Short mmCIF file of all heavy atoms in Angstrom, two decimals:
data_model
loop_
_atom_site.label_atom_id
_atom_site.label_comp_id
_atom_site.label_asym_id
_atom_site.label_seq_id
_atom_site.Cartn_x
_atom_site.Cartn_y
_atom_site.Cartn_z
N ILE A 1379 -19.96 4.89 3.00
CA ILE A 1379 -20.00 5.15 1.52
C ILE A 1379 -20.87 6.28 1.23
O ILE A 1379 -20.70 7.00 0.17
CB ILE A 1379 -20.48 3.85 0.77
CG1 ILE A 1379 -20.51 4.00 -0.72
CG2 ILE A 1379 -21.91 3.38 1.23
CD1 ILE A 1379 -19.15 4.04 -1.36
N GLU A 1380 -21.87 6.59 2.03
CA GLU A 1380 -22.72 7.73 1.88
C GLU A 1380 -22.02 9.07 1.84
O GLU A 1380 -22.48 10.05 1.18
CB GLU A 1380 -23.83 7.82 3.00
CG GLU A 1380 -24.77 6.65 3.07
CD GLU A 1380 -24.24 5.53 3.99
OE1 GLU A 1380 -23.03 5.56 4.35
OE2 GLU A 1380 -25.03 4.71 4.38
N ALA A 1381 -20.77 9.14 2.42
CA ALA A 1381 -20.00 10.34 2.38
C ALA A 1381 -19.52 10.73 1.01
O ALA A 1381 -19.20 11.90 0.75
CB ALA A 1381 -18.72 10.15 3.26
N LEU A 1382 -19.61 9.76 0.01
CA LEU A 1382 -19.29 10.11 -1.36
C LEU A 1382 -20.45 10.66 -2.10
O LEU A 1382 -20.33 10.96 -3.28
CB LEU A 1382 -18.79 8.80 -2.04
CG LEU A 1382 -17.51 8.20 -1.59
CD1 LEU A 1382 -17.09 6.94 -2.40
CD2 LEU A 1382 -16.30 9.21 -1.64
N GLY A 1383 -21.59 10.81 -1.45
CA GLY A 1383 -22.74 11.46 -2.04
C GLY A 1383 -23.67 10.44 -2.76
O GLY A 1383 -24.32 10.82 -3.76
N VAL A 1384 -23.65 9.22 -2.28
CA VAL A 1384 -24.55 8.17 -2.90
C VAL A 1384 -25.68 7.75 -1.98
O VAL A 1384 -25.56 7.95 -0.78
CB VAL A 1384 -23.74 6.96 -3.28
CG1 VAL A 1384 -22.64 7.29 -4.30
CG2 VAL A 1384 -23.14 6.24 -2.14
N LYS A 1385 -26.71 7.28 -2.58
CA LYS A 1385 -27.79 6.62 -1.78
C LYS A 1385 -27.57 5.09 -1.76
O LYS A 1385 -27.25 4.51 -2.81
CB LYS A 1385 -29.15 6.92 -2.37
CG LYS A 1385 -29.57 8.40 -2.21
CD LYS A 1385 -31.05 8.65 -2.58
CE LYS A 1385 -31.42 10.05 -2.31
NZ LYS A 1385 -32.89 10.29 -2.69
N VAL A 1386 -27.70 4.50 -0.59
CA VAL A 1386 -27.37 3.09 -0.45
C VAL A 1386 -28.61 2.25 -0.31
O VAL A 1386 -29.61 2.56 0.39
CB VAL A 1386 -26.58 2.88 0.86
CG1 VAL A 1386 -26.26 1.42 1.10
CG2 VAL A 1386 -25.25 3.65 0.80
N PHE A 1387 -28.62 1.14 -1.14
CA PHE A 1387 -29.78 0.16 -1.12
C PHE A 1387 -29.28 -1.21 -1.01
O PHE A 1387 -28.15 -1.50 -1.48
CB PHE A 1387 -30.58 0.25 -2.46
CG PHE A 1387 -31.25 1.64 -2.68
CD1 PHE A 1387 -30.51 2.70 -3.25
CD2 PHE A 1387 -32.51 1.80 -2.33
CE1 PHE A 1387 -31.12 3.87 -3.48
CE2 PHE A 1387 -33.18 3.07 -2.49
CZ PHE A 1387 -32.46 4.08 -3.06
N THR A 1388 -29.97 -2.07 -0.30
CA THR A 1388 -29.64 -3.48 -0.22
C THR A 1388 -30.75 -4.29 -0.93
O THR A 1388 -30.73 -5.53 -0.85
CB THR A 1388 -29.54 -3.99 1.19
OG1 THR A 1388 -30.72 -3.59 1.94
CG2 THR A 1388 -28.30 -3.28 1.91
N SER A 1389 -31.61 -3.65 -1.65
CA SER A 1389 -32.66 -4.38 -2.45
C SER A 1389 -32.57 -3.83 -3.86
O SER A 1389 -32.59 -2.65 -4.18
CB SER A 1389 -34.08 -4.06 -1.86
OG SER A 1389 -35.05 -4.05 -2.79
N MET A 1390 -32.60 -4.81 -4.73
CA MET A 1390 -32.55 -4.46 -6.23
C MET A 1390 -33.79 -3.72 -6.65
O MET A 1390 -33.74 -2.74 -7.40
CB MET A 1390 -32.40 -5.73 -7.08
CG MET A 1390 -31.06 -6.34 -7.07
SD MET A 1390 -29.86 -5.46 -8.09
CE MET A 1390 -30.17 -6.30 -9.70
N GLU A 1391 -34.96 -4.14 -6.19
CA GLU A 1391 -36.26 -3.48 -6.56
C GLU A 1391 -36.18 -2.02 -6.28
O GLU A 1391 -36.54 -1.15 -7.11
CB GLU A 1391 -37.40 -4.19 -5.84
CG GLU A 1391 -38.70 -3.64 -6.28
CD GLU A 1391 -39.86 -4.36 -5.62
OE1 GLU A 1391 -39.72 -5.50 -5.25
OE2 GLU A 1391 -41.01 -3.77 -5.59
#
Side-chain angles (χ1 to χ4, degrees):
I1379 183 71
E1380 296 90 344
L1382 293 181
V1384 301
K1385 290 189 176 181
V1386 178
F1387 296 85
T1388 53
S1389 150
M1390 285 283 275
E1391 183 176 338

